[in-house]
Amino acid sequence: MERIGFCGLGTMGSAMAGNLRKAGFEVTVWNRSPGKAGELVAAGAREASSPAEVARNADIVVTCVSDTPDVEAVLFGPEGVAAGLASGGMVIDCSTISPDATRGFATRLADQGVGFVDAPVSGGSEGAHKATLTIFTGGTEADVERARPVLAAMGKTITHFGPAGAGQAVKAVNQVVISGVYLAVAEGVVLSMKAGLDPQAVVAALGGGVAGSWILANRSAKMVNNAYPLGFKTALHLKDLGIALEMARSLGVTLPVAGLAAQLEAGLLARGYGDEDMSNLARPIRQLSGMEG
Ligand code: NAP
């Protein structure tokens, strides 16, 4: 079995690294801020003091950090993964970042004989805990096949779309689609409540029909209660829409709904709600409808 390193123990990474341990992999972990590795160490993981030290103890290093500059810092910064990974090693990046930058990272790693797979995920914190993530991959056929047993310990549906960056391009599409669904579910929830209907009964009934979705089933209650524990941070979704809108601009594509979601999310960040779950897109819909939001 290959030895696995894991950098980034946030909402997603801590659960994903835990599932690698459960699958029997030897795992060495690192997080920028201390105090995040306790449970993993108790489960048999080793904690390293830098990404380079993680890499020195691993054949494959998985990264799951916030944004493009963060992946660059973890891979190529001082004491980064690239400084510790031997030729023949591999990086799997599960963060959601820019497809263009991803292609650059893959080339830089290839120059030192290190493979690379972009493997952004969908399925929320629930999917990360249950190891049921949907994973979109980009990379060479050989690298993706080598990554597959590692990805299979964290997710259920793994699809290879093309060379490095292709997985990130698909993830951008995913983030565009969920923008519209979150907004539509928020509108439906608010309309139900203002109509004096029982929103829970409405959600249960709609779930069996064409309006059913993961977001309706798993996030509408937060919108009803106007309380948005994580989940997925609004600030991270706005980061993802930045990537998608830039792709759209360069390809001559118009994304009016994603653009609206980005504007509403910018307003949520300005009000200090960026660290809430992105179902807080219901806040502006509620507020514009005369409800607390
Ligand atoms: P999170 O809980 O905010 O955790 C972010 C992680 O990145 C933390 O471990 C953080 O370290 C680390 N980090 C950020 N900047 C860094 C830097 N410059 N150097 C080193 N480490 C850095 O985020 P998350 O929800 O786990 O999301 C992680 C990635 O998965 C993001 O790209 C996100 O878009 C994607 N994603 C999230 C979800 C979801 O439902 N949450 C679903 C699919 C995909 P510190 O602890 O030191 O801050």
Side-chain angles (χ1 to χ4, degrees), residues 66-80:
S66 307
D67 200 352
T68 306
D70 307 315
V71 174
E72 181 161 25
V74 169
L75 293 182
F76 303 109
E79 283 299 287

Side-chain angles (χ1 to χ4, degrees), residues 95-183:
S95 323
T96 301
I97 64 164
S98 151
D100 284 344
T102 291
R103 283 185 276 278
F105 297 160
T107 304
R108 286 166 76 180
L109 290 169
D111 287 345
Q112 64 178 79
V114 170
F116 179 89
V117 170
D118 48 309
V121 303
S122 174
S125 46
E126 292 90 336
H129 280 279
K130 294 181 191 155
T132 56
L133 292 167
T134 293
I135 308 181
F136 316 115
T137 65
T140 65
E141 200 69 52
D143 281 345
V144 171
E145 282 317 302
R146 183 178 172 191
R148 207 170 274 278
V150 180
L151 298 175
M154 304 186 290
K156 216 166 59 176
T157 310
I158 302 157
T159 313
H160 183 202
F161 287 94
Q168 294 294 353
V170 176
K171 175 70 195 224
V173 174
N174 186 81
Q175 299 308 75
V176 166
V177 171
I178 70 170
S179 300
V181 182
Y182 273 95
L183 279 174

Side-chain angles (χ1 to χ4, degrees), residues 182-206:
Y182 273 95
L183 279 174
V185 169
E187 291 186 358
V189 163
V190 170
L191 185 60
S192 303
M193 293 174 81
K194 292 280 282 195
L197 299 166
D198 173 355
Q200 262 185 329
V202 173
V203 165
L206 262 54

Side-chain angles (χ1 to χ4, degrees), residues 8-13 30-33 36 64-67 69-70 73-74 94-96 121-122 124-125 171 231-233 236 239-240:
L9 305 176
T11 306
M12 299 298 282
W30 172 82
N31 193 69
R32 177 181 59 180
S33 311
K36 297 271 185 83
C64 189
V65 296
S66 307
D67 200 352
D70 307 315
V74 169
C94 292
S95 323
T96 301
V121 303
S122 174
S125 46
K171 175 70 195 224
F232 179 46
K233 289 175 187 164
L236 289 177
K239 171 260 303 180
D240 297 347

